[in-house]
Amino acid sequence: MTTSSGAAWIASPTLKKVAQGIKKKFNWGRALVISIPTIWLAIFFLVPFLVVFKISLSTTEIAQPPYSALFAWDAEEAIAVLRLNLGNYLFLFEDTLYIDAYWSSIKIAAISTALTLVIAYPMAYAIARSHPKYRMILLALVILPFWTSFLLRVYAWMGFLKKDGVINGFLLNVGIIDQPLAIMNTDTAVYIGIIYTYLPFMILPLYTALEKLDGTLLEAAADLGATAWKTFFFVTLPLSVPGIVAGCMLVFIPAVGEFVIPALLGGSDTLMIGRVLWDEFFLNRDWPMASAVAIVMLLFLVLPIMLFRNTQGTKGENF
Amino acid sequence: MKKKSTFLMITATLGFAFLYAPIVSLVVYSFNASKLVTVWGGFSTKWYGELLDNDQILDAAFISLKIAVISATLAVVLGTIAGFCLSRFKRFRGRMALSGMVTAPLVMPEVITGLSLLLLFVAMEGLLGWPSGRGTLTVIIAHVTFCMAYVAVIVQSRLSSMDESLEEAAMDLGAKPGSLFFLVTLPLIMPAIVSGWLLSFTLSLDDLVIASFVSGPGNSTLPMVIFSKIRLGVSPEINALATLMIAAIALGVIATVFQMHRLKKNAV
């Protein structure tokens, strides 16, 4: 204690500990560094959701901006009046258009996620089991399309699927069909588009999970007499569950709100909630309604997003 | 076992064909003299000529490139700081919030992000008078926000898989936190930062939905112009544009991969 100079109160070991604790806790440099990205994300990612929620409770007005204020000053009573309008939410459940759109978005997203998984799993498995020399090249080949423009890749499918497009031209020339197939502007085209654009997002986490798989476990299973398929279902598959969950969430969540794919490949009867929100905003200019649609969509996605967050480990290393 | 590996080979080959066939056809038909996709009218570069005469596309391309360079740079700065905090500061108040805000933008549907940012900008303009109107600035802010999440994830995973002993050694030798970061940590995570920048650049250059919400009149980005053109159908000019973009991106990625490969080899 003699080394610490000065007043008696600082000589007290407890107080000294507290003082040190305070000094440690208020590492100003560190706090500043942490606060920069936190404040940016809070303002431009978190607060916007509150604004959306607020506006979803207001009424559409022909004004600039086109919605009513929640708080109004009542001059006669001299009090502030809070005007909440639940009408947008009520309308969401009254008009079957919205319920149908939510339901069909979730259905389309779920089915395409499952199909993507079925296509991606053997690919990820083949890459993970390939010779280490080729592994990086194969992985780069998976990632490369992901680096090229998403919009242009969807556009490429328009040329592929349309009535006088590449696929129909090929099948007609070979003679497999005598009438062009109507794939473009149907739900099938939307499925193909979603599977195609999100395939790399599924392969990467699956690959990460499968690459880490301990080869001796597979050998042990084989030694104990398990067939190749049995080994796969009882050893490989369960061990790759984290990769499956991460991959499925990476596909499912953005697919639910997808706009570009149904707008370009889907038909006029392809109902997806992302498109409904877009039309509500850009065509009807009904900002409060678009906000209510967004809030309900977010509620549907909270659970999958939490699930995704919990599987987040070392996913980013593959980009 | 043998049967299974042929099965794997076949599915993997088909999978890669599925990934590349549309891109290849896009490139091939950009050299097609005929306007029809199914008819091969002979080799021609006339669509490239028409593309270079299209001022609307060129102007939009310039705006998009400008936005992409600025957003990628800012996103790399903010994302690196976020990734660094999450992997090197083990415990701090708001850690959960920061890691949540870094992960959520990765999967958030673009229509929601776009709408919410636009409504924020409108509300801020009404309240603070800033940002006045919407244009390049608002698009940059939006792109920085979702790109920095990608950068943070890349940097964080690079830092977590990295040995901390070098940083500890520097600290033992008396390096101050500032010089420790700039002289030791930063050079070590440079590959992650480079790929973060390239990814942000591509994502920003490619974004249609968010830009449509937050951009103002007269500030159409390239994807917005492309979208309004292809909504009406296939256009060979866009094929030519796509080929140029794919070539540029492929060259960039290949050059980066080679560079990193060389760096890795030298390091070992």
Side-chain angles (χ1 to χ4, degrees):
Chain A
M1 284 309 124
T2 45
T3 46
S4 63
S5 61
W9 59 270
I10 212 153
S12 146
T14 350
L15 272 179
K16 206 177 154 196
K17 220 181 222 166
V18 171
Q20 267 173 356
I22 289 174
K23 214 175 138 198
K24 216 174 185 178
K25 227 172 215 162
F26 287 94
N27 185 336
W28 287 104
R30 209 180 88 156
L32 184 73
V33 169
I34 294 171
S35 68
I36 297 169
T38 312
I39 290 175
W40 179 285
L41 283 170
I43 295 177
F44 294 115
F45 186 71
L46 212 58
V47 174
F49 291 126
L50 301 178
V51 179
V52 173
F53 183 63
K54 193 199 104 181
I55 290 170
S56 74
L57 293 171
S58 58
T59 319
T60 321
E61 273 180 3
I62 301 172
Q64 201 49 262
Y67 53 85
S68 66
L70 277 194
F71 292 97
W73 183 255
D74 191 327
E76 252 171 52
E77 305 275 330
I79 46 162
V81 186
L82 178 64
R83 289 185 302 179
L84 289 184
N85 172 24
L86 290 173
N88 297 317
Y89 289 96
L90 292 176
F91 192 63
L92 266 185
F93 294 101
E94 265 168 31
D95 194 327
T96 50
L97 165 85
Y98 299 102
I99 298 167
D100 290 348
Y102 281 117
W103 171 237
S104 105
S105 303
I106 290 172
K107 194 188 80 186
I108 290 177
I111 294 176
S112 15
T113 306
L115 291 172
T116 313
L117 177 65
V118 171
I119 297 173
Y121 205 100
M123 286 181 79
Y125 194 86
I127 297 171
R129 287 284 155 273
S130 66
H131 192 277
K133 211 165 80 185
Y134 304 118
R135 214 176 282 167
M136 284 333 278
I137 299 172
L138 290 174
L139 209 55
L141 279 175
V142 169
I143 301 169
L144 206 59
F146 166 79
W147 283 82
T148 61
S149 167
F150 156 73
L151 185 60
L152 292 174
R153 275 180 292 140
V154 176
Y155 166 68
W157 276 100
M158 290 172 70
F160 245 56
L161 297 176
K162 65 186 188 134
K163 214 168 175 186
D164 51 355
V166 177
I167 288 183
N168 274 324
F170 175 76
L171 291 178
L172 282 172
N173 280 338
V174 173
I176 296 176
I177 50 169
D178 48 11
Q179 284 289 327
L181 298 172
I183 315 175
M184 188 65 189
N185 299 329
T186 62
D187 283 5
T188 316
V190 176
Y191 285 120
I192 295 174
I194 294 178
I195 294 169
Y196 179 74
T197 41
Y198 288 100
L199 192 59
F201 290 95
M202 184 69 95
I203 295 179
L204 292 181
L206 283 178
Y207 167 79
T208 315
L210 288 169
E211 195 226 350
K212 277 190 290 202
L213 200 75
D214 191 352
T216 52
L217 284 174
L218 304 181
E219 279 168 29
D223 285 348
L224 293 169
T227 60
W229 286 106
K230 241 183 174 164
T231 313
F232 175 75
F233 277 112
F234 291 103
V235 182
T236 312
L237 199 60
L239 283 172
S240 60
V241 163
I244 295 177
V245 174
C248 286
M249 291 306 115
L250 270 172
V251 178
F252 178 78
I253 303 168
V256 169
E258 187 54 60
F259 164 75
V260 176
I261 296 171
L264 288 180
L265 298 177
S268 50
D269 56 338
T270 309
L271 259 185
M272 282 195 82
I273 198 68
R275 216 172 156 187
V276 170
L277 192 157
W278 180 282
D279 290 347
E280 208 66 73
F281 182 85
F282 286 102
L283 300 182
N284 301 346
R285 287 191 60 79
D286 191 339
W287 294 16
M289 197 63 216
S291 303
V293 170
I295 292 292
V296 173
M297 197 199 308
L298 256 174
L299 289 179
F300 276 118
L301 294 178
V302 162
L303 214 71
I305 289 175
M306 303 275 271
L307 201 63
F308 171 68
R309 233 193 71 69
N310 290 338
T311 62
Q312 263 320 74
T314 53
K315 185 205 116 223
E317 67 192 272
N318 286 319
F319 279 112
Chain B
M1 260 335 234
K2 184 122 200 214
K3 204 176 135 210
K4 198 173 154 196
S5 52
T6 28
F7 165 74
L8 277 180
M9 278 282 277
I10 292 168
T11 42
T13 315
L14 284 177
F16 280 115
F18 175 61
L19 275 178
Y20 282 93
I23 298 176
V24 171
S25 87
L26 209 62
V27 173
V28 170
Y29 282 103
S30 76
F31 294 108
N32 186 1
S34 159
K35 211 178 161 79
L36 287 167
V37 184
T38 27
V39 187
W40 180 255
F43 182 85
S44 153
T45 51
K46 71 170 175 185
W47 304 118
Y48 289 87
E50 281 192 18
L51 179 70
L52 293 177
D53 284 337
N54 191 326
D55 285 336
Q56 194 199 7
I57 290 184
L58 291 184
D59 288 347
F62 181 70
I63 293 177
S64 276
L65 281 173
K66 193 175 75 182
I67 291 174
V69 168
I70 300 173
S71 321
T73 310
L74 282 172
V76 156
V77 174
L78 288 168
T80 306
I81 299 174
F84 181 80
C85 292
L86 286 173
S87 78
R88 284 298 180 260
F89 301 153
K90 296 286 178 276
R91 281 173 53 206
F92 58 87
R93 204 172 293 168
R95 195 197 146 85
M96 273 292 284
L98 182 59
S99 82
M101 287 191 296
V102 158
T103 345
L106 301 181
V107 288
M108 191 57 68
E110 288 169 314
V111 280
I112 297 184
T113 315
L115 176 73
S116 63
L117 270 167
L118 170 76
L119 295 181
L120 174 85
F121 291 140
V122 171
M124 276 171 82
E125 195 185 356
L127 227 62
L128 311 166
W130 183 90
S132 58
R134 289 175 295 283
T136 320
L137 176 72
T138 45
V139 180
I140 290 174
I141 294 176
H143 284 182
V144 169
T145 307
F146 81 87
C147 289
M148 74 177 275
Y150 282 90
V151 178
V153 171
I154 296 172
V155 167
Q156 188 192 353
S157 76
R158 167 84 185 151
L159 276 167
S160 327
S161 64
M162 215 173 70
D163 198 3
E164 274 180 60
S165 56
L166 274 171
E167 287 160 280
E168 278 162 11
M171 238 179 326
D172 286 347
L173 293 169
K176 290 210 175 66
S179 46
L180 171 74
F181 179 77
F182 284 107
L183 296 177
V184 182
T185 315
L186 199 60
L188 283 172
I189 57 171
M190 217 45 192
I193 291 181
V194 170
S195 51
W197 192 91
L198 285 171
L199 185 62
S200 304
F201 180 79
T202 332
L203 288 171
S204 165
L205 203 60
D206 195 26
D207 165 61
L208 163 74
V209 175
I210 296 173
S212 300
F213 276 98
V214 298
S215 140
N219 267 300
S220 292
T221 62
L222 187 59
M224 289 163 75
V225 172
I226 295 176
F227 184 70
S228 64
K229 265 182 128 46
I230 62 180
R231 234 187 165 168
L232 307 170
V234 174
S235 117
E237 266 173 64
I238 300 293
N239 281 4
L241 178 70
T243 306
L244 290 179
M245 285 175 75
I246 289 167
I249 288 163
L251 278 179
V253 170
I254 290 168
T256 323
V257 168
F258 268 104
Q259 185 67 20
M260 277 185 194
H261 199 71
R262 230 188 55 202
L263 285 177
K264 239 182 219 167
K265 256 193 182 156
N266 288 350
V268 172

